Protein backbone atom coordinates (compact mmCIF):
# COMPACT_ATOMS: atom_id res chain seq x y z
CA UNK A 1 0.00 0.00 0.00
CA UNK A 2 2.81 2.45 0.79
CA UNK A 3 4.27 2.08 -2.71
CA UNK A 4 0.94 3.20 -4.18
CA UNK A 5 0.88 6.24 -1.88
CA UNK A 6 4.45 7.03 -2.96
CA UNK A 7 3.46 6.59 -6.60
CA UNK A 8 0.50 8.93 -6.14
CA UNK A 9 2.63 11.56 -4.39
CA UNK A 10 5.42 11.44 -6.98
CA UNK A 11 3.07 11.70 -9.95
CA UNK A 12 0.88 14.40 -8.44
CA UNK A 13 4.07 16.47 -8.02
CA UNK A 14 5.10 15.66 -11.58
CA UNK A 15 1.71 16.59 -12.99
CA UNK A 16 1.67 19.79 -10.96
CA UNK A 17 5.12 21.10 -11.85
CA UNK A 18 5.83 19.75 -15.35
CA UNK A 19 4.83 22.94 -17.13
CA UNK A 20 5.21 22.59 -20.88
CA UNK A 21 3.83 19.18 -21.71
CA UNK A 22 5.10 15.62 -21.83
CA UNK A 23 8.77 16.37 -22.45
CA UNK A 24 8.75 18.75 -19.50
CA UNK A 25 7.69 15.78 -17.34
CA UNK A 26 10.77 13.79 -18.36
CA UNK A 27 13.20 15.37 -15.86
CA UNK A 28 10.72 14.66 -13.06
CA UNK A 29 10.17 11.07 -14.18
CA UNK A 30 13.94 10.57 -14.47
CA UNK A 31 14.40 11.94 -10.97
CA UNK A 32 11.74 9.58 -9.60
CA UNK A 33 13.55 6.60 -11.10
CA UNK A 34 16.92 7.72 -9.74
CA UNK A 35 15.63 8.40 -6.24
CA UNK A 36 13.36 5.39 -5.84
CA UNK A 37 15.04 2.75 -8.02
CA UNK A 38 11.66 1.87 -9.53
CA UNK A 39 13.16 1.95 -13.04
CA UNK A 40 16.56 2.49 -14.68
CA UNK A 41 17.94 4.93 -17.23
CA UNK A 42 17.58 2.19 -19.84
CA UNK A 43 13.93 1.80 -18.83
CA UNK A 44 13.48 5.55 -19.38
CA UNK A 45 14.87 5.26 -22.92
CA UNK A 46 12.36 2.49 -23.61
CA UNK A 47 9.65 4.52 -21.90
CA UNK A 48 10.26 7.45 -24.25
CA UNK A 49 10.27 5.22 -27.32
CA UNK A 50 7.02 3.50 -26.35
CA UNK A 51 5.34 6.71 -25.17
CA UNK A 52 6.25 8.51 -28.41
CA UNK A 53 5.02 5.57 -30.48
CA UNK A 54 1.63 5.26 -28.78
CA UNK A 55 -1.34 7.53 -29.36
CA UNK A 56 -2.12 10.02 -26.65
CA UNK A 57 -0.28 12.66 -24.65
CA UNK A 58 3.40 11.93 -24.04
CA UNK A 59 3.30 12.70 -20.31
CA UNK A 60 0.30 10.44 -19.74
CA UNK A 61 1.94 7.64 -21.72
CA UNK A 62 5.19 7.98 -19.75
CA UNK A 63 3.29 8.00 -16.44
CA UNK A 64 1.46 4.84 -17.50
CA UNK A 65 4.72 3.14 -18.42
CA UNK A 66 6.51 4.24 -15.24
CA UNK A 67 3.62 3.14 -13.04
CA UNK A 68 3.42 -0.18 -14.86
CA UNK A 69 7.15 -0.78 -14.34
CA UNK A 70 6.70 0.00 -10.67
CA UNK A 71 3.72 -2.18 -9.72
CA UNK A 72 2.06 -3.48 -12.88
CA UNK A 73 -1.31 -2.53 -14.34
CA UNK A 74 -2.64 -1.02 -11.10
CA UNK A 75 0.54 1.09 -10.85
CA UNK A 76 0.02 2.32 -14.41
CA UNK A 77 -3.56 3.34 -13.69
CA UNK A 78 -2.56 4.93 -10.36
CA UNK A 79 0.27 6.96 -11.93
CA UNK A 80 -1.95 8.24 -14.75
CA UNK A 81 -4.72 9.34 -12.40
CA UNK A 82 -2.23 11.04 -10.08
CA UNK A 83 -0.45 12.69 -13.02
CA UNK A 84 -3.66 14.11 -14.54
CA UNK A 85 -5.47 15.28 -11.40
CA UNK A 86 -3.42 18.49 -11.03
CA UNK A 87 -4.06 19.38 -14.70
CA UNK A 88 -7.81 19.02 -14.25
CA UNK A 89 -7.84 21.42 -11.30
CA UNK A 90 -5.33 23.85 -12.80
CA UNK A 91 -7.07 24.03 -16.18
CA UNK A 92 -10.42 24.61 -14.46
CA UNK A 93 -8.94 27.38 -12.28
CA UNK A 94 -6.98 28.98 -15.13
CA UNK A 95 -10.02 28.96 -17.37
CA UNK A 96 -12.15 30.74 -14.80
CA UNK A 97 -9.40 33.32 -14.14
CA UNK A 98 -8.61 33.87 -17.81
CA UNK A 99 -12.26 34.21 -18.63
CA UNK A 100 -12.53 37.05 -16.09
CA UNK A 101 -9.16 38.69 -16.85
CA UNK A 102 -8.67 38.12 -20.59
CA UNK A 103 -7.28 41.57 -21.24
CA UNK A 104 -5.24 41.84 -18.05
CA UNK A 105 -1.58 42.79 -18.51
CA UNK A 106 -0.69 40.83 -15.36
CA UNK A 107 -2.05 37.60 -16.82
CA UNK A 108 -0.23 38.25 -20.11
CA UNK A 109 3.02 38.83 -18.19
CA UNK A 110 2.56 35.64 -16.16
CA UNK A 111 2.23 33.58 -19.33
CA UNK A 112 5.15 35.46 -20.89
CA UNK A 113 7.25 34.49 -17.85
CA UNK A 114 6.18 30.85 -17.99
CA UNK A 115 7.41 30.40 -21.57
CA UNK A 116 11.14 30.41 -20.75
CA UNK A 117 10.60 28.00 -17.85
CA UNK A 118 8.71 25.51 -20.00
CA UNK A 119 11.28 25.92 -22.78
CA UNK A 120 14.11 25.14 -20.34
CA UNK A 121 12.30 22.07 -19.00
CA UNK A 122 11.73 20.77 -22.52
CA UNK A 123 15.36 21.47 -23.51
CA UNK A 124 16.61 19.62 -20.42
CA UNK A 125 14.42 16.66 -21.31
CA UNK A 126 15.64 16.66 -24.89
CA UNK A 127 19.28 16.76 -23.77
CA UNK A 128 18.54 13.81 -21.50
CA UNK A 129 17.02 11.90 -24.42
CA UNK A 130 20.07 12.65 -26.58
CA UNK A 131 22.40 11.39 -23.85
CA UNK A 132 20.48 8.14 -23.44
CA UNK A 133 19.86 7.49 -27.14
CA UNK A 134 23.04 8.68 -28.80
CA UNK A 135 25.80 8.35 -26.20
CA UNK A 136 27.31 5.48 -24.23
CA UNK A 137 27.82 7.40 -20.97
CA UNK A 138 28.45 4.30 -18.83
CA UNK A 139 31.07 2.91 -21.21
CA UNK A 140 32.75 6.31 -21.46
CA UNK A 141 32.87 6.69 -17.68
CA UNK A 142 34.34 3.20 -17.33
CA UNK A 143 36.96 3.50 -20.08
CA UNK A 144 37.54 7.24 -20.39
CA UNK A 145 37.90 6.68 -24.14
CA UNK A 146 36.22 9.34 -26.24
CA UNK A 147 35.77 6.75 -29.00
CA UNK A 148 33.51 4.73 -26.71
CA UNK A 149 31.29 7.74 -25.97
CA UNK A 150 29.33 7.86 -29.22
CA UNK A 151 26.65 5.41 -30.31
CA UNK A 152 27.46 5.85 -34.01
CA UNK A 153 24.71 3.61 -35.35
CA UNK A 154 22.05 5.60 -33.51
CA UNK A 155 23.65 8.94 -34.39
CA UNK A 156 23.61 8.03 -38.09
CA UNK A 157 20.00 6.82 -37.86
CA UNK A 158 18.98 10.04 -36.07
CA UNK A 159 20.73 12.14 -38.74
CA UNK A 160 19.04 10.20 -41.56
CA UNK A 161 15.63 10.50 -39.89
CA UNK A 162 16.16 14.22 -39.29
CA UNK A 163 17.31 14.83 -42.87
CA UNK A 164 14.41 12.91 -44.40
CA UNK A 165 11.94 14.54 -42.02
CA UNK A 166 13.07 18.02 -43.04
CA UNK A 167 13.36 17.18 -46.74
CA UNK A 168 10.30 14.96 -47.33
CA UNK A 169 7.98 15.79 -44.40
CA UNK A 170 6.38 12.36 -44.17
CA UNK A 171 3.97 11.38 -41.40
CA UNK A 172 5.74 10.62 -38.06
CA UNK A 173 4.41 7.06 -38.19
CA UNK A 174 6.65 6.44 -41.21
CA UNK A 175 9.76 7.40 -39.22
CA UNK A 176 8.74 5.28 -36.24
CA UNK A 177 8.26 2.18 -38.43
CA UNK A 178 11.44 2.84 -40.43
CA UNK A 179 13.47 3.37 -37.25
CA UNK A 180 12.09 0.20 -35.65
CA UNK A 181 13.01 -1.74 -38.81
CA UNK A 182 16.51 -0.21 -38.74
CA UNK A 183 16.85 -1.18 -35.08
CA UNK A 184 16.01 -4.78 -35.96
CA UNK A 185 18.21 -4.85 -39.06
CA UNK A 186 21.27 -3.16 -37.57
CA UNK A 187 21.00 -4.33 -33.98
CA UNK A 188 20.55 -0.89 -32.51
Amino acid sequence: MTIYLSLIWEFIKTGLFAIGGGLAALPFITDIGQRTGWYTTSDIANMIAVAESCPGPLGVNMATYAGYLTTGVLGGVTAVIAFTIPAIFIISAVYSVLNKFRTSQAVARIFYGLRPASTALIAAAEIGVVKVALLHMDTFKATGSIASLFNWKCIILAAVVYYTLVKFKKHPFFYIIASAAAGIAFGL
Side-chain angles (χ1 to χ4, degrees):
M1 184 61 169
T2 59
I3 194 163
Y4 289 103
L5 293 176
S6 296
L7 199 60
I8 290 168
W9 175 242
E10 292 298 337
F11 280 94
I12 281 178
K13 291 188 304 186
T14 301
L16 185 60
F17 296 114
I19 297 169
L23 282 177
L26 188 55
F28 294 95
I29 291 173
T30 301
D31 178 64
I32 293 168
Q34 290 171 344
R35 281 186 298 103
T36 62
W38 291 341
Y39 41 86
T40 66
T41 303
S42 178
D43 290 332
I44 292 171
N46 294 336
M47 182 185 307
I48 294 165
V50 170
E52 287 280 2
S53 301
C54 291
L58 182 64
V60 170
N61 291 347
M62 288 191 304
T64 305
Y65 195 102
Y68 181 81
L69 284 177
T70 305
T71 61
V73 173
L74 186 56
V77 171
T78 301
V80 167
I81 291 170
F83 181 77
T84 56
I85 283 175
I88 292 167
F89 288 111
I90 291 170
I91 289 169
S92 299
V94 166
Y95 175 77
S96 66
V97 168
L98 286 180
N99 208 22
K100 291 178 186 174
F101 300 103
R102 273 184 226 202
T103 59
S104 166
Q105 283 294 335
V107 171
R109 289 180 180 150
I110 288 169
F111 279 104
Y112 186 78
L114 287 174
R115 289 181 194 144
S118 63
T119 301
L121 287 169
I122 292 168
E126 289 172 350
I127 290 168
V129 170
V130 167
K131 284 171 63 176
V132 169
L134 304 181
L135 302 176
H136 295 296
M137 295 301 292
D138 294 335
T139 307
F140 175 68
K141 287 177 186 174
T143 64
S145 167
I146 203 81
S148 69
L149 176 61
F150 300 103
N151 185 344
W152 290 110
K153 289 179 183 178
C154 288
I155 290 171
I156 291 167
L157 178 60
V160 167
V161 168
Y162 178 78
Y163 173 77
T164 57
L165 179 65
V166 170
K167 183 157 177 86
F168 302 110
K169 297 180 173 67
K170 298 285 184 194
H171 191 276
F173 183 73
F174 168 78
Y175 300 102
I176 291 168
I177 295 300
S179 296
I184 292 168
F186 300 113
L188 303 173

